[in-house]
Amino acid sequence: MFEDIPVDVGLVHVGERIRKNDMYVELGGPSIPEKFELVRVKKPEEVRDGAITVVGPDLTEMEEGKKYPLGILIEIAGPELEEDIEGVIERRIHEYSNYIEGFMHLNQRYDIWVRVSKKAYARGFTTLAYVGNVLLALLKNELPIIDQMQVTFFTDQEKISARYADAKAIYEARDARARGLTDDDVDVFYGCALCQSFAPSHVCVITPQRYANCGAISWFDGRAAARIDPKGPIFPIEKGECLDPVLGEYTGINESAKKRSLGAVHRIYLYSAFAYPHTSCGCFEGIAFYIPEVEGFGIVIRGYKDVTVNGLPFSTMADSTAGGRQVDGFHGISLEYMRSPKFLAADGGYARVTWMPSDLKEQMREFIPADLFSRIATEKEVKTVSELRDFLSLHAHPVMERWTAEETVPMNGTNGAVQVFSGGDFPITSGGFKIIFKNARITADRVIIEPIPQKKPGADK
């Protein structure tokens, strides 16, 4: 199918990572403020079937090792196509472009991050048109309802800027539509296995009030995808019995999770970051991370470049959160989930959130309760956990009620020691063994964290 492409194309290349030293160029990514990928359903006369266009410099005109902006626009036509399918096809750009040897695609929507390897370029992968050829062939093959399709790549910053605001408005309109439903209004949820090639045990559950972690697939998108491609990676999940409406545990989700993860995941709480949190793949838009010193949560998003209040950058926490694992207190989330009434509902919702980047806080102003907005700290007010605790005390954050409970009911035998961890399941892996603390409460008089210096080869001889 791809004889004219100078590199291999196939499922075997999904998950390939291109490190900085191995890349020819980078497109999009954290340092590029405006980038997007967008699919639009058009009238037949507006689509030139098979057309692939690069607006701006192509790969041969780019300087090795440099970073460039990127916009991807796919326009499709067909009598059976509906707007609900646009977000589904956008997510498949991620899947199918990763079939290309030496081409790495991460994230989605306005967060895309692409790298082309030096080896691929040296072998003749010198134009983005090759990516367009792969997308055309695979999308039309997998979704026969697409009659006509054209692909445009934008690498010119001015052309991208002209379309960026429109793309963001389209994403927002889709998301706003989904906010009209609640999880109680429907009998079926949806699951997505698009990221299982990266995270085999990841089980993505999509409900009206809990978007896919990537932020790209709503419940409406899931319904449309399951209808047009019943054997595809997005599938219905019967809710079954509601075991706990507060935690968001359903028998149907548990059964689906156990089956899809081959037994690695057997329980999921939709609305909690503790015990059995929703798994995370790696394409999540943000991370909710537990801060035991204040019994609250911090939130960080992918584009935040500084370290967070706990001293860790997004990248470090992402490595710990991703991979399809259920990590107590580390929770991959979408931005749309932060707009949901079910956001961390079992853990206290926004009354438990203590820190987030200032840009994100302003973005969520409409959805954060007015009486809490000024009580949530940002990087502008605090830099450390100690400063955060002082800020929360000064602003009478409701999370302080949890401090009072801890101080007035000491655990027997703790001798006033400071609680350093509290949660449901806390796994520690070492020496080939995995130890899980169930409903653990750990205290210590002091906690000392020291870096272990790397020994030079032969230093101990």
Side-chain angles (χ1 to χ4, degrees):
M1 182 185 291
F2 301 109
E3 292 80 4
D4 296 334
I5 296 178
V7 297
D8 188 42
V9 178
L11 187 60
V12 66
H13 302 296
V14 174
E16 177 185 3
R17 288 291 186 265
I18 299 172
R19 303 303 175 189
K20 187 175 181 179
N21 291 337
D22 299 321
M23 79 175 191
Y24 174 68
V25 291
E26 180 173 288
L27 304 166
S31 62
I32 303 294
E34 294 179 338
K35 61 267 184 182
F36 69 87
E37 57 188 12
L38 185 67
V39 172
R40 298 296 282 157
V41 174
K42 295 286 188 177
K43 297 176 182 179
E45 61 269 22
E46 297 176 309
V47 179
R48 187 159 57 96
D49 191 32
I52 301 172
T53 308
V54 179
V55 179
D58 207 341
L59 298 180
T60 55
E61 302 167 274
M62 296 179 182
E63 185 179 345
E64 182 176 330
K66 298 296 184 180
K67 301 176 182 181
Y68 295 85
L70 178 65
I72 303 174
L73 175 64
I74 295 180
E75 295 165 296
I76 55 177
E80 297 181 58
L81 291 173
E82 301 176 354
E83 285 190 0
D84 282 350
I85 199 63
E86 292 175 345
V88 176
I89 295 177
E90 280 167 22
R91 194 66 186 122
R92 292 197 179 187
I93 296 173
H94 168 75
E95 179 185 15
Y96 293 148
S97 61
N98 275 307
Y99 282 21
I100 303 170
E101 181 184 11
F103 189 89
M104 181 186 80
H105 179 291
L106 299 175
N107 310 331
Q108 64 294 309
R109 282 188 171 185
Y110 44 77
D111 254 348
I112 56 173
W113 186 359
V114 168
R115 282 179 175 175
V116 179
S117 74
K118 293 177 182 177
K119 289 183 179 179
Y121 186 80
R123 289 175 59 184
F125 194 86
T126 56
T127 173
L128 291 171
Y130 289 134
V131 183
N133 286 331
V134 171
L135 294 175
L136 275 166
L138 293 180
L139 283 169
K140 293 186 77 172
N141 181 65
E142 290 296 318
L143 301 171
I145 62 173
I146 300 176
D147 287 346
Q148 296 162 272
M149 174 177 165
Q150 64 186 26
V151 183
T152 306
F153 297 94
F154 298 90
T155 59
D156 180 275
Q157 185 60 64
E158 288 187 8
K159 299 294 185 181
I160 291 173
S161 295
R163 293 176 175 270
Y164 181 72
D166 288 341
K168 294 271 284 188
I170 291 166
Y171 303 145
E172 170 59 25
R174 292 180 195 159
D175 296 344
R177 180 190 176 205
R179 291 173 206 151
L181 277 180
T182 72
D183 289 354
D184 293 332
D185 291 335
V186 301
D187 296 323
V188 176
F189 296 149
Y190 292 93
C192 178
L194 279 170
C195 290
Q196 282 200 320
S197 55
F198 291 89
S201 60
H202 175 48
V203 183
C204 193
V205 181
I206 304 163
T207 81
Q209 293 181 291
R210 199 186 192 291
Y211 246 61
N213 284 353
C214 66
I217 303 177
S218 71
W219 183 86
F220 286 106
D221 297 331
R223 182 179 66 175
R227 284 177 178 175
I228 67 169
D229 188 10
K231 295 183 180 180
I234 298 178
F235 50 89
I237 299 175
E238 295 296 332
K239 289 171 65 175
E241 179 187 354
C242 180
L243 300 176
D244 193 316
V246 177
L247 292 166
E249 184 179 15
Y250 296 83
T251 57
I253 291 177
N254 289 344
E255 291 166 7
S256 176
K258 186 175 182 180
K259 176 182 177 181
R260 293 279 174 170
S261 70
L262 300 180
V265 177
H266 61 280
R267 293 181 72 180
I268 288 179
Y269 294 163
L270 290 177
Y271 317 134
S272 176
F274 294 119
Y276 302 102
H278 189 287
T279 60
S280 301
C281 56
C283 294
F284 39 74
E285 293 185 287
I287 300 170
F289 58 95
Y290 180 59
I291 308 172
E293 295 89 341
V294 298
E295 286 280 352
F297 282 93
I299 310 291
V300 62
I301 54 175
R302 186 174 297 277
Y304 187 69
K305 297 177 182 179
D306 203 352
V307 296
T308 67
V309 71
N310 67 3
L312 299 175
F314 176 91
S315 58
T316 299
M317 285 191 280
D319 287 342
S320 301
T321 306
R325 291 166 289 179
Q326 290 178 297
V327 183
D328 213 35
F330 285 86
H331 199 40
I333 58 174
S334 67
L335 296 187
E336 187 59 26
Y337 180 43
M338 293 183 67
R339 300 182 178 102
S340 168
K342 294 294 188 180
F343 174 59
L344 296 179
D347 304 325
Y350 275 107
R352 197 80 181 274
V353 175
T354 60
W355 183 94
M356 66 174 69
S358 54
D359 288 348
L360 176 63
K361 182 179 172 182
E362 188 59 38
Q363 188 177 348
M364 294 296 160
R365 176 183 284 272
E366 179 185 348
F367 302 92
I368 299 173
D371 62 328
L372 288 174
F373 190 83
S374 63
R375 302 180 185 186
I376 298 175
T378 74
E379 78 283 4
K380 294 181 177 180
E381 292 88 27
V382 306
K383 299 295 184 183
T384 66
V385 170
S386 177
E387 291 177 359
L388 174 62
R389 190 175 178 95
D390 291 342
F391 177 94
L392 300 175
S393 297
L394 180 64
H395 291 79
H397 193 290
V399 79
M400 291 176 60
E401 296 174 6
R402 297 176 181 271
W403 306 352
T404 304
E406 290 296 325
E407 292 165 1
T408 56
V409 189
M411 296 290 290
N412 291 334
T414 61
N415 297 320
V418 178
Q419 180 178 312
V420 295
F421 176 81
S422 176
D425 286 9
F426 179 61
I428 296 178
T429 304
S430 178
F433 294 91
K434 183 177 182 180
I435 303 171
I436 300 177
F437 293 91
K438 294 281 188 178
N439 298 316
R441 187 184 300 272
I442 300 173
T443 60
D445 293 323
R446 295 179 66 197
V447 176
I448 301 174
I449 301 175
E450 296 180 343
I452 300 175
Q454 296 293 320
K455 290 185 178 180
K456 295 182 178 179
D460 56 347
K461 292 183 181 180

